[in-house]
Amino acid sequence: MSVVGASPAVGLFCVPRSPPSNIPRFRMAVRSSAVSVAPILTKLKHECATPLPLLRHVADAMAADMRAGLAVDGGSDLKMILSYVDSLPTGNEKGLFYALDLGGTNFRVLRVQLGGKEERVIDTEFEQVSIPQELMFGTSEDLFDFIASGLDKFAQKEGEKFYLPPGRKREIGFTFSFPVRQTSIDSGILIKWTKGFAVSGTAGRDVVACLNEAMERQRLDMRVSALVNDTVGTLAGARYWDDDVMVAVILGTGTNACYVERTDTIAKLQGHDSSSGRTIINTEWGAFSNGLPLTVFDSDMDDASINPGEQIFEKTISGMYLGEIVRRVLLKIAEAGAFGDSIPEKLSTPFVLRTPDISAMQQDNSDDLKAVGSILYDITGVESNLSARKIVVEVCDTVVKRGGRLAGAGIVGILQKMEEDSQGLIFGKRTVVAMDGGLYEHYPQYRRYLQDAVTELLGLEISKNVIIEHSKDGSGIGAALLAAANSKYEHDF
Ligand code: BGC
């Protein structure tokens, strides 16, 4: 399916629902059984609680893990990857550039005509293509062939609004949103897949080479000038409009953060000079795990995942997993007999309940929680009365509150580390955190919990200086801007 000009964020914070549609629906009489549910709920709330001291511990541990990861490769859970992006867009960038974004259940292609300081973004066009699920488990060639062919089709539709001087190749900023050990601005080795991808033959390889080979097979004459993580693209895109942007965070299917670091604080930086004295570090914070409040539902989900023991922060706070954690809790409640005598088969299907579904349930303000009832029935087969619906909303809220607050603590950890190294330059002035991703965009309660945690941790005064701002779709333009900055051709910007 190809969506032209649609929002890329839609669908990005979930995995596709995969149960067969012909699963029989078992009717379940729902008794209001507060007695059997209460202990489960109480325990869940207790174990998911994120009081201020716990948040403080998480923020401190995040800052400490950042330092350890900057000292030496493998120094902590956080990989603290060098992005090779040492200068951010200035606004002077000019010309036609492409961006290709692979990071979740969709990939996006974009072209932009940049017009420098005066005209900025003259024109932009994009297409979004959903990735067939079998390709997420197939071979590297199949996945990259699919992407290159999508890019080819899109490039062929380039109209006259876009202009490239004769004799030049079209240049691409390639946003690849998985952990990559960058070897230069336009090359990098895939460390591992995340977010449910299990494509064979890519880990350990240069992903730009994989794309180049696929483009050659398509006879597509384009060149990758910059390979960037989505966080780095978002930071570059947001910085194009606002000089105070220092951090970028993605909260979508997966999660990650990057920030502007002083090169003199990076002990592991050897032989990499940065004329600006600054570079962007991709933290890969999804792998963080220190001091997180976890439940048996988290550990069971982790055990059943394709990457057990990995990406624990991501599994606690990101869109791919929140719905699944809720489903596991609801199953437990159903097994305790609290919802009736039988358990609908659908409720036992992993990942059937997606984060957009729990978000939709939490937006139901009606007295009888009618929407909660119908979403629950349609998706899990559970028939519910009002008290059962209230319990379900409480479960969603507990899991989402933990996620949002922990994400907020992670952000504070990064800001804290930056402030420690540059007293007053972060908390003493306006500092912007650019946010993107469907979870952040489409889940108001999550957003509020995140902001609350930041405010609680920093206090009212300092938190006034920290602006958490949605930077919608910034990563595509950001990648194109970085392609411009790293173009092999002479430009007058
Ligand atoms: C990946 C990161 C990415 C993040 C958000 C994580 O699973 O490891 O590289 O930035 O998802 O897309």
Side-chain angles (χ1 to χ4, degrees):
M1 184 192 56
S2 162
V3 183
V4 183
S7 161
V10 174
L12 278 185
F13 70 120
C14 54
V15 280
R17 191 180 288 140
S18 51
S21 52
N22 56 355
I23 285 179
R25 182 171 284 157
F26 296 89
R27 293 209 142 220
M28 189 165 78
V30 178
R31 286 183 251 117
S32 166
S33 144
V35 180
S36 51
V37 180
I40 301 175
L41 260 186
T42 310
K43 188 162 188 273
L44 178 77
K45 284 187 174 173
H46 176 71
E47 289 177 352
C48 287
T50 48
L52 193 53
L54 185 139
L55 291 182
R56 197 147 270 148
H57 170 81
V58 168
D60 291 346
M62 182 69 76
D65 273 9
M66 288 168 72
R67 286 191 191 285
L70 288 174
V72 51
D73 272 334
S76 82
D77 282 347
L78 302 198
K79 296 209 161 51
M80 305 301 283
I81 294 170
L82 304 175
S83 66
Y84 289 82
V85 173
D86 300 337
S87 51
L88 283 159
T90 58
N92 291 321
E93 296 77 5
K94 277 187 186 165
L96 169 62
F97 294 94
Y98 275 72
L100 173 64
D101 190 335
L102 175 68
T105 45
N106 303 294
F107 84 88
R108 276 222 313 164
V109 278
L110 169 141
R111 69 181 138 249
V112 57
Q113 189 80 41
L114 299 167
K117 271 249 152 60
E118 295 302 307
E119 293 177 284
R120 293 273 167 161
V121 175
I122 298 175
D123 233 310
T124 167
E125 279 178 355
F126 70 87
E127 268 182 35
Q128 179 166 297
V129 183
S130 56
I131 298 176
Q133 240 198 327
E134 62 273 17
L135 287 184
M136 291 168 64
F137 304 99
T139 66
S140 194
E141 283 79 22
D142 287 347
L143 178 65
F144 280 94
D145 279 346
F146 182 75
I147 292 165
S149 114
L151 178 61
D152 188 18
K153 284 184 199 133
F154 179 67
Q156 282 176 25
K157 289 183 221 155
E158 184 184 294
E160 280 166 11
K161 297 184 288 186
F162 297 91
Y163 171 74
L164 189 77
R168 287 191 183 183
K169 281 192 185 194
R170 282 167 180 74
E171 291 183 291
I172 312 168
F174 180 21
T175 305
F176 185 77
S177 307
F178 299 93
V180 160
R181 185 160 317 289
Q182 296 257 169
T183 36
S184 70
I185 183 64
D186 60 2
S187 62
I189 311 290
L190 175 66
I191 300 169
K192 61 179 183 185
W193 289 104
T194 56
K195 298 177 279 199
F197 275 70
V199 177
S200 61
T202 327
R205 285 208 61 202
D206 176 3
V207 292
V208 174
C210 293
L211 178 61
N212 280 337
E213 287 160 18
M215 289 197 298
E216 272 163 35
R217 288 193 287 272
Q218 301 281 335
R219 302 193 192 294
L220 178 58
D221 197 18
M222 293 172 92
R223 171 181 181 271
V224 174
S225 327
L227 170 67
V228 297
N229 185 262
D230 51 353
T231 53
V232 177
T234 300
L235 181 53
R239 185 65 170 249
Y240 186 58
W241 303 104
D242 185 343
D243 285 342
D244 292 337
V245 177
M246 297 297 279
V247 179
V249 175
I250 301 288
L251 284 162
T253 307
T255 183
N256 193 9
C258 76
Y259 69 106
V260 180
E261 181 58 287
R262 284 171 32 177
T263 45
D264 60 353
T265 69
I266 311 175
K268 71 177 178 186
L269 190 79
Q270 281 159 357
H272 173 74
D273 287 328
S274 153
S275 54
S276 65
R278 300 266 186 283
T279 191
I280 298 181
I281 296 289
N282 165 13
T283 64
E284 285 295 335
W285 81 0
F288 175 77
S289 63
N290 192 332
L292 298 175
L294 300 175
T295 67
V296 65
F297 306 105
D298 300 295
S299 50
D300 287 352
M301 179 180 72
D302 180 42
D303 289 346
S305 71
I306 54 172
N307 52 353
E310 292 178 6
Q311 300 293 103
I312 303 299
F313 196 44
E314 178 159 279
K315 286 173 180 160
T316 319
I317 71 167
S318 86
M320 176 158 171
Y321 302 100
L322 296 184
E324 171 63 2
I325 300 168
V326 169
R327 182 197 67 83
R328 285 174 177 269
V329 179
L330 296 186
L331 184 61
K332 167 90 177 183
I333 288 175
E335 280 167 359
F339 284 172
D341 299 333
S342 59
I343 298 167
E345 206 175 318
K346 281 207 231 171
L347 186 59
S348 308
T349 311
F351 290 96
V352 71
L353 188 67
R354 305 166 320 149
T355 303
D357 304 322
I358 64 169
S359 174
M361 289 199 275
Q362 278 206 262
Q363 310 320 313
D364 182 0
N365 294 320
S366 64
D367 289 342
D368 57 354
L369 297 177
K370 194 159 175 246
V372 174
S374 54
I375 294 170
L376 204 58
Y377 181 72
D378 289 348
I379 290 167
T380 66
V382 170
E383 274 189 64
S384 57
N385 59 15
L386 183 57
S387 62
R389 292 172 194 173
K390 284 187 177 158
I391 291 168
V392 171
V393 173
E394 223 175 317
V395 171
C396 297
D397 194 59
T398 304
V399 171
V400 164
K401 183 173 185 177
R402 177 185 66 166
R405 285 174 66 81
L406 290 173
I411 292 172
V412 170
I414 293 184
L415 294 171
Q416 208 169 287
K417 148 80 176 75
M418 297 169 82
E419 171 73 12
E420 280 164 14
D421 293 340
S422 315
Q423 293 282 317
L425 289 183
I426 297 297
F427 292 154
K429 61 172 243 328
R430 181 176 180 270
T431 294
V432 177
V433 179
M435 308 285 300
D436 204 4
L439 176 59
Y440 185 79
E441 186 180 359
H442 299 297
Y443 210 139
Q445 285 84 356
Y446 187 97
R447 267 200 313 270
R448 209 181 54 234
Y449 288 133
L450 184 156
Q451 180 66 62
D452 285 352
V454 171
T455 312
E456 276 174 43
L457 280 166
L458 294 180
L460 265 183
E461 273 317 298
I462 292 181
S463 59
K464 275 188 203 145
N465 281 342
V466 172
I467 315 295
I468 298 183
E469 215 161 63
H470 183 207
S471 158
K472 193 166 160 48
D473 310 344
S475 94
I477 297 272
L481 287 162
L482 292 170
N486 294 285
S487 166
K488 76 166 179 170
Y489 302 107
E490 286 287 313
H491 288 271
D492 59 358
F493 38 88

